[in-house]
Amino acid sequence: MAVVLTIEQVVSPWAPDWVGAIAESVWAAALPGSVFIRAGRANVPIVYDAGRTFEIGKSIELIPGGDITVIAHGLLVAEAIRASEALAAEGVNVRVIDMHTIKPLDAEAIAEVNAAVAFAEAGTWEPVADLARDVITPAGATT
């Protein structure tokens, strides 16, 4: 995955469910160049209604909130929603964003985060958190 993100013309989406996977496959077929699509597995929670459209490089806010923002992608989008619902019962308002396209990254959505932020990513490498650091860290600052 890390190598994929170094290739300039590669678009890298990762949908949380079959609805997103179908939508990504349709627009990927129309794109010039290479597309790396990460696929999930069977029996995952359905996040989107059939027919939902996705825009390359534009995240989707699934739940509004102001106390903390969780930016998730892939299979962990459904888990982020569940966590948001559980924390809402405790009085914590958690905003959930589906960052379904890792490359290009929706830097505008990340730059607009004005609360604590957490990243929900599967695997040992965290591409969204790594790429987001460049957006949210002021120039010249160290992390």
Side-chain angles (χ1 to χ4, degrees), residues 7-99:
I7 303 170
E8 190 62 35
Q9 269 66 36
V10 174
V11 175
S12 182
W14 189 14
D17 59 18
W18 68 268
V19 176
I22 290 171
E24 289 175 350
S25 297
V26 169
W27 56 250
L31 289 175
S34 300
V35 178
F36 175 82
I37 297 178
R38 279 184 88 170
R41 58 181 179 267
N43 301 321
V44 297
I46 302 302
V47 174
Y48 294 106
D49 293 329
R52 167 70 186 196
T53 58
F54 295 78
E55 184 178 342
I56 298 171
K58 293 301 275 181
S59 62
I60 299 169
E61 181 181 71
L62 298 172
I63 300 174
D67 295 327
I68 187 169
T69 297
V70 176
I71 299 174
H73 66 95
L75 301 175
L76 290 183
V77 171
E79 295 302 318
I81 293 169
R82 283 186 27 195
S84 176
E85 292 167 350
L87 288 167
E90 301 289 328
V92 179
N93 296 310
V94 178
R95 178 181 183 209
V96 176
I97 295 175
D98 176 8
M99 190 66 66

Side-chain angles (χ1 to χ4, degrees), residues 1-12 34 36 38 102-103 125 127 130-131:
M1 182 67 187
V3 171
V4 169
L5 294 180
T6 65
I7 303 170
E8 190 62 35
Q9 269 66 36
V10 174
V11 175
S12 182
S34 300
F36 175 82
R38 279 184 88 170
I102 298 170
K103 182 181 178 188
W125 179 60
D130 287 346
L131 295 169

